[in-house]
Amino acid sequence: MSLLTIKNLSARVEEKDILKGFNLTVNPGEVHAIMGPNGSGKSTLASVLAGNESYEVTGGEVDFDGKDLLDMAPEERAREGLFLAFQYPVEIPGVSNVNFMKAAVTEVRKHRGLEPLVAKDFLAYMKEKKELVELDGKLAGRSVNEGFSGGEKKRNEIFQMAMLDPKLGILDETDSGLDIDALRIVANGVNKLKSKDKAFIVITHYQRLLDYIVPDFVHVLYDGKIVRSGTKELALELEEKGYDWIKEELTEA
Amino acid sequence: MAEENQALKDFTEKEYEYGWSVDIETDELPKGLSEDTVRAISEKKEEPEWLLKWRLKAYRHWLTLKEPKWAHVKYPEIDFQDMIYYSAPKNKPEISSLDEVDEDMLKTFEKLGISLEEQKRLMNVAGSNVAVDAVFDSVSVKTTFQETLREKGVIFCSFSEAVKDHPDLVRKYLGSVVPYTDNYYATLNSAVFSDGSFCYIPKGVRCPMELSTYFRINAMNTGQFERTLVIADEDSYCSYLEGCTAPQRDENQLHAAVVELVAHKGAEIKYSTVQNWYPGDKNGKGGIYNFVTKRGICTGAYAKISWTQVETGSAVTWKYPSTILKGDNSIGEFYSVAVTNNYQQADTGTKMIHLGKNTKSTVISKGISAGFSNNSYRGLVKIGKNATNARNFSQCDSLLLSSTSGAHTFPYIECGNKSAKVEHEATTSKVGEDQIFYCNQRGLDTEQAIGLIVNGYCKEVLNKLPMEFAVEAQKLLSISLEGSVG
């Protein structure tokens, strides 16, 4: 059974239609890359799936692991195992990463019928995940994203993803603003989290990230829908030729 | 977004959790205020002549005063004749162990979640040290841990006991920081105060436990006028915790307390308050009028007074815990979180009066307004002409959780010495929807998200609270603010 099935999804923000009949099926164990020029709807897709209420869904349906995703509040989606690594993670001054994660992990565990971890076990769990994604120890003790560099924020997103152990991880342009070392660390983190029951949607503007996170499928999003799908070779082709040839093809057709 | 606002609204409109009252037989005076009332209180308490005289002087002075109107708060005229000025539980228990405390009363404390039993357990199990003087309506019922304290020479008892057992100390210090002529409510308190707490730490003694008082207003139409006096003799230290809850009543109740702190040379007093008096219902009906005068004086060199307050309750709060920095190199601190919701109004802040050389003060104030409430910071930093090298740093932050609430800052600075350095910073912000969504995406619902964000916002202040209080204060913040972005 597929993990995520998106059928004919349409959405708009501030009266402007962004997604116009978007279709996608993601099975467990798969990595899907979604590429596309600026303004094609990539980040809208991520926001709509996560339940950001600034976006209005105007049509279509989304099935997530047998449940109606669009019917769920954002926190329920998260507890059901949908994780969004934000393009611009927000700062929460005064709230330490440890406390933030403790609250989040406790909620997710509760949803899965598990008791909260006692402090000692939680810290051990946190240490394990920190090492997995090579997160600097001192970042964990600081306030959520406060004063973090761009790279640190992105790494913190991957760390949180590791902590919450989602079924589906959506990376919204996680590579933007990262130098090559940070990119490698972030990608390694994702690769270590990959398993046969988990899936990832990697949203990116450039092919670069896909050198490190190798996708099973690459989709090109243009004007609110997928206009082309293929394997990783498609990404290379895009890198070489840019997006214009697709636009041209579409106009001709 | 509509849904989010609804969640926020629900959170904000959560009913007061401490609304209940217990039927305990009380011994009370009839309604009304006159010289006879003052005499009757004094007589019931078997007070010495000097104290009665002092009360009467205060009462006569009060008659000449007008209720102050300068605060940024609105409330109907208070009818001082329609109040009961003395209400004591009958048969004041004389007790040596908790078993002898009236069962209903113990239940009352249990409902508060801060029972004496619990305090006791805490002490045995976790090694936490809290001595409690519980003020139930006007009379102090129970003081725990007196033995341990007595060994160190620390006096911690009800004000009435202090009047009987330590009259010289009371006579010396009563009104020495807040004179009976000070202001309308302090003067009224001086005339009719019924009880409170008294604490004396001898020279060089570091008080071995947190001293704690819980106040509760129980009986109907009783104004509560407590009096607290804390004296830290030279080079001593104490940490004093004060917590308040009041059961739900439709009519407004007046609470006009006076707290006086005296820190002698090299002494330090840390005074922490968590206040969650009944704030009124979501339409602004009922609630406590909290008109309190709190002031400390650093009489000697290197003395230090630190006020920390978390104010979430009361319909109207009017309160400025202040410090007079008389001794050279003395230090004053004020850390405050004030939360207003629904139709609550708070006008709170501090006064730092620098008189001595090299005196230093720090003011950190966090105001959080939700619903239709109004939250004002009012602070005075005054540098006297002899206060060479005085330093002050003030930071006043306001967080708005609704577009219908108000945040105001009224900082006053009077500088009489050129070498002084006074800094004031102020910010106003709103809880971001993006922050809430970020928390939602990690599995936290909107209530939890706001609780977390607000607690983070207040962290600097919460960190100053003793451990025993910090957890309770965090919970209180979440409860009083359940949901309020607009």
Side-chain angles (χ1 to χ4, degrees):
Chain A
M1 201 180 83
S2 65
L3 177 64
L4 180 75
T5 313
I6 304 175
K7 277 187 200 152
N8 212 18
L9 183 65
S10 300
R12 63 178 171 186
V13 61
E14 288 161 6
E15 308 292 304
K16 190 172 184 283
D17 292 316
I18 309 280
L19 292 182
K20 303 166 182 173
F22 180 94
N23 292 290
L24 180 68
T25 299
V26 178
N27 293 306
E30 293 176 350
V31 176
H32 290 247
I34 293 181
M35 302 182 71
N38 288 331
S40 57
K42 300 191 299 289
S43 284
T44 299
L45 174 68
S47 298
V48 167
L49 292 178
N52 187 332
E53 288 168 3
S54 309
Y55 297 83
E56 186 193 349
V57 174
T58 49
E61 46 195 83
V62 180
D63 179 283
F64 181 58
D65 206 20
K67 291 180 178 152
D68 181 357
L69 185 77
L70 300 178
D71 200 32
M72 290 184 236
E75 62 270 24
E76 287 174 62
R77 302 178 193 203
R79 293 170 196 166
E80 281 289 331
L82 183 146
F83 183 95
L84 171 62
F86 284 76
Q87 185 177 2
Y88 304 107
V90 300
E91 302 186 359
I92 310 180
V95 177
S96 74
N97 256 328
V98 181
N99 284 340
F100 184 59
M101 277 296 103
K102 181 80 168 73
V105 168
T106 300
E107 279 310 313
V108 169
R109 286 179 64 89
K110 191 160 95 190
H111 189 73
R112 295 174 188 167
L114 299 168
E115 292 288 311
L117 288 171
V118 298
K120 184 170 147 282
D121 295 344
F122 178 78
L123 291 174
Y125 178 69
M126 188 153 160
K127 184 160 179 276
E128 178 198 322
K129 299 300 179 188
K130 247 171 17 193
E131 282 164 7
L132 187 74
V133 299
E134 298 176 55
L135 184 81
D136 193 326
K138 67 177 193 294
L139 289 185
R142 279 168 44 187
S143 294
V144 178
N145 295 325
E146 197 185 22
F148 285 27
S149 70
E152 286 170 340
K153 283 182 183 173
K154 297 300 174 70
R155 232 180 289 175
N156 196 25
E157 294 292 288
I158 303 303
F159 163 69
Q160 293 184 20
M161 182 162 76
M163 290 295 287
L164 295 175
D165 192 28
K167 293 176 201 152
L168 175 67
I170 303 169
L171 278 64
D172 187 7
E173 304 213 20
T174 300
D175 51 337
S176 67
L178 289 192
D179 63 29
I180 206 76
D181 290 330
L183 189 70
R184 186 188 48 78
I185 290 172
V186 163
N188 278 348
V190 174
N191 288 332
K192 285 179 194 160
L193 295 175
K194 263 194 336 198
S195 76
K196 64 175 181 14
D197 341 294
K198 288 189 200 319
F200 293 91
I201 296 176
V202 181
I203 293 171
T204 179
H205 193 72
Y206 302 104
Q207 188 271 338
R208 196 177 63 153
L209 178 64
L210 305 179
D211 286 341
Y212 299 92
I213 305 173
V214 181
D216 299 299
F217 302 96
V218 174
H219 310 278
V220 180
L221 182 61
Y222 181 70
D223 195 23
K225 48 179 171 277
I226 289 177
V227 293
R228 186 169 295 235
S229 294
T231 54
K232 65 178 195 292
E233 281 70 30
L234 177 60
L236 293 170
E237 203 179 346
L238 286 170
E239 180 77 359
E240 202 180 308
K241 301 191 195 167
Y243 290 106
D244 287 348
W245 63 280
I246 290 187
K247 290 183 199 171
E248 279 160 25
E249 272 189 20
L250 285 169
T251 337
E252 280 164 28
Chain B
M1 229 163 306
E3 236 172 76
E4 197 163 89
N5 281 338
Q6 188 55 45
L8 289 167
K9 219 170 149 236
D10 293 346
F11 186 93
T12 323
E13 291 173 0
K14 208 166 192 187
E15 296 286 328
Y16 186 63
E17 291 203 346
Y18 301 93
W20 38 268
S21 71
V22 175
D23 284 331
I24 292 174
E25 268 194 273
T26 55
D27 171 20
E28 57 185 34
L29 287 177
K31 278 182 185 175
L33 179 58
S34 66
E35 242 182 71
D36 288 343
T37 319
V38 177
R39 285 178 196 281
I41 292 169
S42 191
E43 192 181 332
K44 275 196 180 289
K45 302 180 74 63
E46 298 161 19
E47 284 176 353
E49 186 64 23
W50 65 265
L51 190 49
L52 173 63
K53 280 192 176 152
W54 193 75
R55 285 177 180 277
L56 287 172
K57 272 196 288 184
Y59 177 70
R60 287 168 197 151
H61 185 71
W62 183 73
L63 292 174
T64 69
L65 297 176
K66 286 227 155 41
E67 209 176 332
K69 294 289 181 199
W70 45 263
H72 192 77
V73 295
K74 281 191 200 120
Y75 53 91
E77 202 74 28
I78 298 173
D79 183 354
F80 290 95
Q81 296 307 330
D82 194 36
M83 267 190 283
I84 294 165
Y85 287 84
Y86 184 83
S87 164
K90 258 187 191 159
N91 309 320
K92 186 188 177 188
E94 305 247 332
I95 32 181
S96 53
S97 91
L98 287 173
D99 307 334
E100 297 169 34
V101 177
D102 184 290
E103 211 170 301
D104 272 355
M105 210 171 281
L106 279 181
K107 273 188 202 143
T108 303
F109 286 111
E110 265 162 36
K111 274 192 210 164
L112 286 173
I114 44 141
S115 65
L116 297 169
E117 300 270 20
E118 193 178 13
Q119 300 284 358
K120 215 175 177 186
R121 246 198 330 269
L122 264 174
M123 167 145 171
N124 291 336
V125 178
S128 150
N129 288 325
V130 183
V132 182
D133 182 25
V135 178
F136 194 91
D137 282 311
S138 311
V139 170
S140 175
V141 181
K142 171 98 187 86
T143 306
T144 46
F145 305 115
Q146 285 213 1
E147 272 314 302
T148 324
L149 292 172
R150 201 171 293 144
E151 279 168 29
K152 292 269 183 183
V154 173
I155 302 167
F156 180 43
C157 60
S158 73
F159 206 92
S160 322
E161 277 162 2
V163 169
K164 287 199 175 76
D165 301 342
H166 311 281
D168 295 346
L169 281 174
V170 176
R171 200 168 180 177
K172 181 172 173 191
Y173 290 104
L174 177 68
S176 69
V177 193
V178 181
Y180 71 84
T181 51
D182 196 77
N183 71 70
Y184 191 77
Y185 298 108
T187 301
L188 178 62
N189 173 291
S190 302
V192 300
F193 73 89
S194 38
D195 212 332
S197 297
F198 177 86
C199 174
Y200 173 81
I201 319 289
K203 270 184 199 175
V205 169
R206 202 182 157 83
C207 186
M209 56 181 71
E210 309 275 356
L211 301 175
S212 169
T213 306
Y214 278 96
F215 293 109
R216 249 178 58 76
I217 298 177
N218 196 54
M220 260 200 230
N221 296 321
T222 52
Q224 187 154 20
F225 303 93
E226 336 85 26
R227 190 97 199 175
T228 302
L229 181 52
V230 179
I231 302 141
D233 216 329
E234 290 179 15
D235 301 312
S236 68
Y237 167 85
C238 83
S239 169
Y240 192 95
L241 321 179
E242 172 197 72
C244 335
T245 54
Q248 201 156 339
R249 293 283 185 211
D250 268 349
E251 281 164 75
N252 298 297
Q253 280 176 298
L254 177 63
H255 175 250
V258 172
V259 174
E260 296 179 276
L261 309 183
V262 181
H264 287 298
K265 186 168 78 63
E268 180 177 350
I269 301 174
K270 193 173 153 60
Y271 195 100
S272 313
T273 306
V274 172
Q275 186 264 114
N276 64 330
W277 301 112
Y278 179 50
D281 67 13
K282 61 175 191 267
N283 301 314
K285 190 166 186 283
I288 302 290
Y289 295 159
N290 190 28
F291 302 146
V292 175
T293 306
K294 292 185 168 180
R295 195 176 304 148
I297 184 166
C298 291
T299 60
Y302 296 96
K304 180 177 175 184
I305 289 178
S306 183
W307 300 97
T308 305
Q309 60 173 21
V310 175
E311 304 274 323
T312 65
S314 296
V316 182
T317 296
W318 180 99
K319 179 182 170 188
Y320 316 91
S322 305
T323 305
I324 301 166
L325 299 161
K326 190 173 165 218
D328 292 346
N329 300 85
S330 58
I331 296 173
E333 294 174 338
F334 175 74
Y335 301 101
S336 169
V337 170
V339 178
T340 53
N341 201 351
N342 298 318
Y343 287 89
Q344 279 176 277
Q345 308 172 70
D347 194 301
T348 183
T350 185
K351 285 190 259 183
M352 291 293 176
I353 316 288
H354 292 254
L355 301 177
K357 293 181 180 60
N358 306 317
T359 45
K360 217 169 94 181
S361 64
T362 306
V363 175
I364 309 281
S365 163
K366 305 274 181 180
I368 297 154
S369 344
F372 297 87
S373 68
N374 259 308
N375 201 327
S376 306
Y377 170 82
R378 187 183 303 275
L380 168 69
V381 175
K382 187 173 179 173
I383 312 284
K385 65 179 192 306
N386 298 323
T388 311
N389 287 323
R391 294 278 178 274
N392 161 267
F393 173 76
S394 300
Q395 185 186 327
C396 303
D397 297 329
S398 305
L399 186 67
L400 293 169
L401 298 185
S402 72
S403 50
T404 45
S405 59
H408 317 271
T409 308
F410 305 99
Y412 305 88
I413 296 170
E414 292 173 22
C415 192
N417 186 304
K418 279 183 185 160
S419 64
K421 203 170 153 187
V422 178
E423 291 173 75
H424 181 91
E425 289 179 9
T427 65
T428 302
S429 50
K430 290 191 76 172
V431 165
E433 273 163 29
D434 53 345
Q435 286 178 319
I436 293 174
F437 180 64
Y438 190 77
C439 294
N440 288 158
Q441 216 301 306
R442 299 304 182 245
L444 305 174
D445 64 30
T446 301
E447 279 192 9
Q448 284 175 301
I450 290 173
L452 207 66
I453 293 165
V454 167
N455 269 302
Y457 180 77
C458 301
K459 193 181 177 188
E460 274 172 284
V461 174
L462 297 177
N463 278 349
K464 299 289 174 185
L465 286 174
M467 266 287 281
E468 287 85 350
F469 253 25
V471 177
E472 196 187 330
Q474 279 179 21
K475 278 190 207 150
L476 253 186
L477 280 188
S478 301
I479 291 171
S480 9
L481 270 177
E482 302 198 319
S484 331
V485 176

